[in-house]
Amino acid sequence: MLEREPGGIIAIHDDPPVLHDGLPRRYLAIIAEAAERLLAADDPAAMVDELFATICDELKLDVFFNYRLDGDRLVLEAHGGVSPHHAAGAAVVELGQPICGVAARDRCKLHVTAIQSSPDPALDFAKDVGLDAFACTPLIYGGRLLGTLAFARRWAGRFKTDELSLIHIVCSYVAIAKHRLRVEADMRNALERQERLLHELNHRVRNALQLAISIVGMEFGVPDVDTPLAAKRRAVARLEAMATAHRPLYATDRLGQVDVEALVRGVAEQTVGHDVAVLVDGIHSLSVERGVALALAIHAVLLGNGDLEMIRVGLRTMDGVTRLAVGFSAPSLAGDDRSEMEVPRSIGLLLRQLHAAIDRDRSGVTIHFINET
């Protein structure tokens, strides 16, 4: 223990507090009760309120301040024994600001004595609150600073050594409990996010299955000179395109969104059987439902076009509206801009349902989505 001057701030540098035979038996009972309460706590602020109620009579405490580290400052999380006016004045403490900010910055336990008679201006706030003895402990777990916890008296100018030991021991338990609550909160958040993700994926997959049923149904419902085997093969190829559209969904943090570049590359390579040059202007994403429509449209456009040269993904302004557009350059796709693009009935119906269209001009074929930018 290093005392800088008679009265004033005393900085205590020692090892983590441990139980020892010199503590009064009643202190050991208080420590056991405090540990039991802290292990069962589920709210950080209420936890410290209960701890204060447990030890305040024995130690004749009047005030406590519990701060949580928030970036490079301390935020008051719980308090007791002070007026709303004083609590508001101590709501935020910068690191290095007396008294708790110094304890947090230096990661050092502080015992401040004889506050009312001290001329130190750093103690003006404590003096205004009417405090005379102040014990502040940084809450540290695994080398990580979590905040500070301080207890104070108005009636006596200092704490005894055994009283400080009791305070430091219960504060070490508070640090453990706060770490546990933080870990549990992180786990709950992760589980909730995973649950939302699984729910979203379930919803998207259910939609995809409904689309698959519609596509296959239309494939077999249209009079066709092809054999049933050929129709089955076309249905399988389109289902594979839909599956390719869903793969980027699992590689993004945006629920229900797929990366357009990954989708275009995947479907194009799956359809033509080799790597395809894809030029992307900016970063674009689509809802997975529209991604499926785009995958099916790409599949329909590229089917049998092995001379594909380039796919361009970007924004296109048409009739004053900016739309996401996917263009295909291939000799077999280029044609008169007045000619009509032949699209299989099943794909045409799906594109109209999702407000998508296919255009062809002298440069090739372009798919654009009216309501996606």
Side-chain angles (χ1 to χ4, degrees), residues 34 41 48 92 102 123 164 213 219 222 261 276 281 298 320 325 328:
V48 181
V92 177
V102 174
L123 304 180
L164 290 173
I213 292 170
E219 187 70 44
V222 177
E261 180 180 2
V276 177
D281 178 17
I298 292 172
F328 304 85

Side-chain angles (χ1 to χ4, degrees), residues 8-163:
I9 300 176
I10 304 171
I12 304 172
H13 302 274
D14 58 12
D15 295 328
V18 296
L19 296 176
H20 56 80
D21 295 337
L23 285 179
R25 186 177 298 275
R26 65 182 185 278
Y27 280 14
L28 300 179
I30 291 174
I31 290 171
E33 181 182 354
E36 181 178 357
R37 288 178 177 271
L38 292 171
L39 288 173
D42 57 6
D43 178 81
M47 172 181 72
V48 181
D49 283 333
E50 293 182 2
L51 174 65
F52 182 68
T54 301
I55 67 174
C56 68
D57 289 341
E58 178 63 36
L59 296 182
K60 297 181 174 58
L61 301 174
D62 297 306
V63 172
F64 82 92
F65 295 95
N66 176 212
Y67 285 96
R68 166 177 52 85
L69 182 66
D70 183 4
D72 57 354
R73 62 180 187 171
L74 298 173
V75 176
L76 190 62
E77 190 169 60
H79 62 87
V82 294
S83 68
H85 169 72
H86 285 127
V92 177
V93 172
E94 302 296 331
L95 295 185
Q97 182 179 344
I99 302 170
C100 294
V102 174
R105 182 197 62 191
D106 299 342
R107 299 192 175 203
C108 173
K109 295 184 283 290
L110 296 181
H111 179 202
V112 189
T113 63
I115 295 173
Q116 292 300 316
S117 60
S118 173
D120 190 345
L123 304 180
D124 284 350
F125 176 80
K127 185 181 296 185
D128 186 50
V129 176
L131 305 178
D132 206 23
F134 195 100
C136 183
T137 305
L139 302 177
I140 300 173
Y141 183 88
R144 180 180 182 181
L145 178 67
L146 306 179
T148 63
L149 179 55
F151 299 100
R153 289 171 171 167
R154 292 188 172 98
W155 60 275
R158 65 186 310 118
F159 287 96
K160 296 178 181 178
T161 300
D162 284 349
E163 293 171 335

Side-chain angles (χ1 to χ4, degrees), residues 82-342:
V82 294
S83 68
H85 169 72
H86 285 127
V92 177
V93 172
E94 302 296 331
L95 295 185
Q97 182 179 344
I99 302 170
C100 294
V102 174
R105 182 197 62 191
D106 299 342
R107 299 192 175 203
C108 173
K109 295 184 283 290
L110 296 181
H111 179 202
V112 189
T113 63
I115 295 173
Q116 292 300 316
S117 60
S118 173
D120 190 345
L123 304 180
D124 284 350
F125 176 80
K127 185 181 296 185
D128 186 50
V129 176
L131 305 178
D132 206 23
F134 195 100
C136 183
T137 305
L139 302 177
I140 300 173
Y141 183 88
R144 180 180 182 181
L145 178 67
L146 306 179
T148 63
L149 179 55
F151 299 100
R153 289 171 171 167
R154 292 188 172 98
W155 60 275
R158 65 186 310 118
F159 287 96
K160 296 178 181 178
T161 300
D162 284 349
E163 293 171 335
L164 290 173
S165 295
L166 174 59
I167 288 173
H168 298 327
I169 289 171
V170 297
C171 284
S172 68
Y173 290 161
V174 169
I176 295 172
K178 283 183 174 288
H179 172 75
R180 173 182 62 82
L181 291 175
R182 177 172 294 185
V183 170
E184 290 177 355
D186 290 343
M187 291 178 63
R188 282 194 302 271
N189 291 336
L191 289 174
E192 289 173 0
R193 184 183 183 282
Q194 184 180 45
E195 184 177 351
R196 290 195 303 271
L197 177 60
L198 292 175
H199 177 76
E200 184 70 20
L201 291 178
N202 178 60
H203 170 70
R204 303 295 181 178
V205 171
R206 188 166 59 245
N207 288 347
L209 290 175
Q210 187 59 49
L211 288 172
I213 292 170
S214 300
I215 290 296
V216 173
M218 285 187 288
E219 187 70 44
F220 287 98
V222 177
D224 200 335
V225 296
D226 289 343
T227 64
L229 180 59
K232 289 180 180 178
R233 287 174 176 167
R234 288 197 303 273
V236 168
R238 286 169 183 164
L239 290 176
E240 288 177 348
M242 294 174 66
T244 301
H246 279 78
R247 290 191 189 106
L249 179 65
Y250 299 88
T252 180
D253 291 332
R254 298 182 62 186
L255 294 179
Q257 297 287 311
V258 295
D259 178 75
V260 175
E261 180 180 2
L263 182 148
V264 171
R265 289 185 186 278
V267 176
E269 292 171 10
Q270 180 250 326
T271 304
V272 302
H274 56 76
D275 290 345
V276 177
V278 179
L279 179 62
V280 179
D281 178 17
I283 300 174
H284 307 286
S285 64
L286 280 173
S287 64
V288 68
E289 288 85 359
R290 294 203 168 188
V292 169
L294 179 59
L296 291 170
I298 292 172
H299 177 76
V301 171
L302 298 183
L303 201 61
N305 291 285
D307 57 348
L308 180 67
E309 296 174 347
M310 173 76 72
I311 300 179
R312 292 180 173 84
V313 180
L315 299 179
R316 178 181 180 184
T317 301
M318 300 176 60
D319 301 326
V321 178
T322 301
R323 303 168 179 173
L324 177 63
V326 182
F328 304 85
S329 299
S332 58
L333 294 174
D336 192 324
D337 58 1
R338 291 172 296 180
S339 63
E340 294 184 359
M341 180 71 188
E342 294 184 2

